[in-house]
């Protein structure tokens, strides 16, 4: 069995839908950018405003409400109008990005939040968003507004709505942490930078080979940090070497890899995890696809503690 080959894969920002390919093993460079789309986050309308270089975001029941109206819904105007309240019950948002780990850089009544600024389904930027008048605290149920990646929710300062159901937009408030602080999270959790360090949360490390690694409602998934952690369950079916990860999500028992690693794969495809210590690992991989063997996921000496025997079924 080959145990020296590095297993490179393409990069993925953590998606709320779970689609896409995983980040490269420790020590490897990113080979693809974050996902994007032509449509805005669900429930939110983005349109050009009268001020060049600005964007008007309207939420609520009447997306056609203008900034001078007091009809249903709240109008959030991003642009050069400053920060805070605007005429007609609207709310000016600051245009600068902020740091979720720093002392709050946003105006009073706002908090720094990750969001998707490209209309996609992955957090890729930060923004100042209004703090709910009666915010939920860490561990409490919460609700996101518009979409899971809108950057607007009812959680308190320094926290976000996490594990949001795309249908109900409900999740649980989780506090941000500082990955530079070794004591930021209670053992066994670790403070993990997500989505190219857009934000960080306390997560539990896990082994994809252990079916009981995560509690009910969570799955062991790779993150953009390059290591697997317990994340809100996202579902997904085993795709084999015919599956295209961008169209359908891999199961918890598999991962999304570069097409060069899977024979006859046209795009990023799903392939099973495997145990390098299992004498039948190569046979198991061969059953998953012709020409597949169990190959180490991490470079020699680079695997996190407890993941030294983690492999993936790829072309040997």
């Amino acid at each position: 069995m080959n145990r020296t080959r590095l297993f490179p894969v393409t990069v993925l920002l953590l998606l709320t839908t779970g689609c896409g390919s995983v980040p490269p093993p420790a020590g490897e460079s990113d080979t693809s950018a974050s996902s994007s789309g032509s449509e805005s986050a669900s429930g939110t309308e983005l349109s050009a405003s009268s001020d060049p270089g600005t964007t008007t975001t309207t939420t609520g029941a009447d997306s056609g409400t203008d900034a001078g109206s007091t009809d249903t819904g709240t109008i959030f105007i991003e642009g050069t109008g400053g920060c805070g309240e605007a005429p007609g019950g609207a709310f000016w948002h600051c245009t600068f990005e902020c740091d979720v780990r720093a002392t709050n850089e946003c105006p009073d009544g706002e908090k720094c939040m990750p969001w998707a600024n490209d209309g996609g389904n992955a957090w890729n930027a930060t923004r100042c968003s209004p703090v709910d008048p009666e915010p939920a605290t860490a561990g409490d149920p919460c609700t996101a507004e518009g979409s899971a990646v809108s950057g607007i929710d009812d959680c308190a300062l320094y926290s976000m709505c996490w594990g949001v159901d795309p249908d109900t937009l409900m999740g649980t408030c989780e506090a941000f942490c500082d990955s530079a602080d070794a004591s930021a999270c209670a053992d066994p959790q670790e403070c993990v930078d997500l989505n190219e360090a857009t934000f960080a949360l306390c997560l539990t490390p896990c082994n994809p080979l252990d079916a009981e690694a995560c509690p009910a409602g969570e799955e062991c998934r790779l993150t953009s940090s390059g290591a697997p952690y317990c994340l809100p369950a996202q579902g997904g079916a085993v795709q084999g070497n015919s599956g295209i990860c961008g169209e359908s999500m891999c199961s918890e028992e598999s991962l999304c890899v570069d097409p060069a690693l899977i024979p006859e794969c046209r795009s990023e495809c799903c392939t099973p995890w495997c145990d390098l210590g299992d004498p039948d690992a190569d046979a198991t991989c061969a059953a998953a696809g012709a020409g597949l063997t169990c190959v180490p996921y991490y470079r020699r000496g680079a695997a996190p503690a407890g993941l030294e025997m983690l492999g993936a079924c790829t072309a040997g």
Side-chain angles (χ1 to χ4, degrees):
M1 182 182 299
N2 179 3
R3 298 199 179 186
T4 60
R5 180 183 170 192
L6 178 66
F7 178 57
V9 291
T10 52
V11 134
L12 168 72
L13 299 184
L14 179 65
L15 302 180
T16 57
T17 60
C19 299
S21 52
V22 297
E28 289 301 295
S29 61
D30 295 353
T31 58
S32 69
S34 62
S35 71
S36 62
S38 58
E39 297 181 355
S40 63
S42 175
T44 302
E45 177 187 354
L46 301 181
S47 60
S49 74
S50 58
D51 188 349
T54 66
T55 300
T56 302
T57 304
T58 305
T59 64
D62 183 4
S63 61
T65 306
D66 60 34
S69 171
T70 56
D71 291 342
T72 58
T74 304
I75 294 85
F76 301 108
I77 306 172
E78 300 179 29
T80 57
C83 306
E85 293 184 0
F91 197 96
W92 286 109
H93 277 299
C94 299
T95 56
F96 63 84
E97 286 202 358
C98 48
D99 185 349
V100 299
R101 293 162 295 190
T103 301
N104 190 39
E105 304 170 314
C106 298
D108 290 344
E110 292 193 343
K111 62 175 180 175
C112 187
M113 286 284 291
W115 74 303
N117 70 359
D118 58 359
N121 58 3
W123 295 285
N124 66 340
T126 57
R127 66 185 294 176
C128 291
S129 295
V131 178
D132 192 271
E134 298 180 359
T137 58
D140 290 342
C142 56
T143 304
E145 185 173 325
S147 80
V149 292
S150 67
I152 303 174
D153 61 30
D154 58 357
C155 293
L157 193 66
Y158 303 118
S159 63
M160 69 179 292
C161 200
W162 178 246
V164 175
D165 184 295
D167 296 320
T168 65
L169 295 184
M170 295 186 67
T172 303
C173 289
E174 294 289 345
F176 298 123
C177 59
D178 185 351
S179 57
D181 182 1
S183 62
C185 304
D187 189 67
Q189 291 192 319
E190 301 172 356
C191 186
V192 184
D193 282 322
L194 300 171
N195 291 47
E196 298 181 347
T198 302
F199 62 103
L201 295 175
C202 292
L203 301 176
T204 303
C206 57
N207 187 334
L209 299 175
D210 181 2
E212 306 298 325
C214 299
E218 295 185 357
E219 297 173 339
C220 189
R221 298 281 187 177
L222 284 168
T223 68
S224 54
S225 70
Y229 289 89
C230 292
L231 301 176
Q234 302 170 55
V238 175
Q239 301 298 313
N241 61 4
S242 62
I244 300 177
C245 311
E247 297 178 358
S248 183
M249 182 184 159
C250 299
S251 71
E252 183 182 8
E253 297 80 17
S254 57
L255 71 161
C256 194
V257 300
D258 189 276
L261 300 176
I262 304 292
E264 301 180 1
C265 178
R266 302 183 308 277
S267 182
E268 289 86 358
C269 292
C270 299
T271 195
W273 291 108
C274 58
D275 185 348
L276 296 169
D278 181 359
D280 297 323
D282 281 343
T284 301
C285 288
L292 301 184
T293 59
C294 189
V295 177
Y297 179 71
Y298 292 102
R299 189 199 330 241
R300 184 186 298 274
L307 298 180
E308 294 84 0
M309 304 309 289
L310 181 63
C313 296
T314 66

